[in-house]
Structures are given as structure tokens and as C-alpha cells.
Amino acid sequence: MAKKKKATKKKAAKKATKKKVAKKPAKKAAKKKATKKKAAKKAKKKKVAKKKVAKKTKTKRKPNAAFMKPLTPSPELAAVVGTTPLPRTQVVKKLWIYIKKHDLQDAKNRRNINADANLKKVFGKNTVSMFEMTKLVSKHLK
């Protein structure tokens, strides 16, 4: 009886190894199919994303009406910018042209502006930071 038990154990072990070998390729094939499907889905998603980006670039931004409204400068500011009504954006642009033309930016700290006689009337100070400048200029626009 001892021989029969050993023989059946060997047969059972061989059958188990054959089943495992047979299952492994099936799993690999399933994994390959799954990865191909994922790759195909990713490719579709990328195409959709590109189309959305193209649509966003076609629409133009509308400028804010408050910035584009022409405002008349005060007599102090008119000495620097001119007397014609201008939008805020153009007033700031002309101020920077004046500042650079007369070399009024501070040499060490480029954010500061050293006011000359005309700008001192507008700012009320000798030195002003570029961020504070627009705040002070808005008081001279109506």
C-alpha cells in the first residue's frame, strides 16, 4: 500500500503543476489585453483634451470697460501726460515713458521712482514705489 500512496501523490503533484503552467499564459494574455485597452483609452482622452485647448484659445478676452474709459487728467498730471482724456492704462504707460526718458528710477532699487518737480506735484513725495504710483495717480484722474 505504501507504493500506491506515493504513486498517487506524484500524479497529483504533476497534475497541479500542469494546471499552474496552463493558467499562467492565460493571465499574461489577459494582462496584455487590459494594458492595450488602457492605452487605447489614454489615447482617446489625449485627443479630446487637445480639441478643448484649441477651443479655449479662439475666444478673445474682453477688456474691462472701467480701464478703457477715457479720463481727464488734473493740471498737475497734464504737465507729464498731456491734456487729452486717456484711459488709465495709457496714463500709466505715458508715466513710465516719462520716468525712463528722464532717468527717474532709483539706481539701487529699481522699484522706487525719484520724483522730479513735475512728478512731485502729482505724488506729493520725493520717492514713490511703482505699486504706490498708480494709487497716487488715480487721485488726479476724473
Side-chain angles (χ1 to χ4, degrees):
M1 268 183 98
K3 287 184 181 180
K4 285 185 181 179
K5 284 184 182 178
K6 285 184 182 178
T8 54
K9 283 184 182 178
K10 284 183 183 179
K11 286 181 182 177
K14 284 183 182 179
K15 285 181 183 178
T17 55
K18 285 182 183 178
K19 286 180 183 177
K20 286 181 183 177
V21 173
K23 287 182 181 177
K24 284 183 182 178
K27 285 183 182 178
K28 286 182 182 179
K31 285 182 182 178
K32 285 182 182 179
K33 287 180 184 177
T35 54
K36 286 180 183 178
K37 286 180 183 177
K38 286 180 184 177
K41 285 182 182 179
K42 285 182 182 179
K44 287 180 184 177
K45 285 181 183 178
K46 286 180 182 178
K47 288 179 184 177
V48 172
K50 287 180 183 179
K51 288 179 184 177
K52 286 182 182 177
V53 172
K55 288 181 182 178
K56 286 183 182 177
T57 55
K58 289 181 183 178
T59 58
K60 282 191 174 182
R61 284 182 50 206
K62 292 182 182 178
N64 190 345
F67 284 122
M68 302 314 290
K69 182 182 174 186
L71 301 168
T72 55
S74 68
E76 294 86 19
L77 186 60
V80 179
V81 177
T83 56
T84 58
L86 295 166
R88 290 178 193 277
T89 54
Q90 293 300 314
V91 170
V92 173
K93 202 177 216 181
K94 285 196 174 193
L95 265 172
W96 274 108
I97 291 169
Y98 181 86
I99 290 165
K100 289 183 180 180
K101 182 180 177 184
H102 292 86
D103 195 33
L104 298 174
Q105 260 184 305
D106 192 35
K108 290 181 182 176
N109 189 357
R110 304 286 289 170
R111 285 186 246 168
N112 290 341
I113 298 155
N114 300 322
D116 64 350
N118 290 336
L119 287 179
K120 194 170 184 181
K121 292 176 188 175
V122 177
F123 298 152
K125 301 178 183 181
N126 286 332
T127 58
V128 176
S129 73
M130 65 171 61
F131 306 109
E132 191 179 7
M133 179 184 75
T134 54
K135 177 184 165 185
L136 296 169
V137 168
S138 67
K139 293 177 184 176
H140 291 274
L141 295 169
K142 293 181 183 177

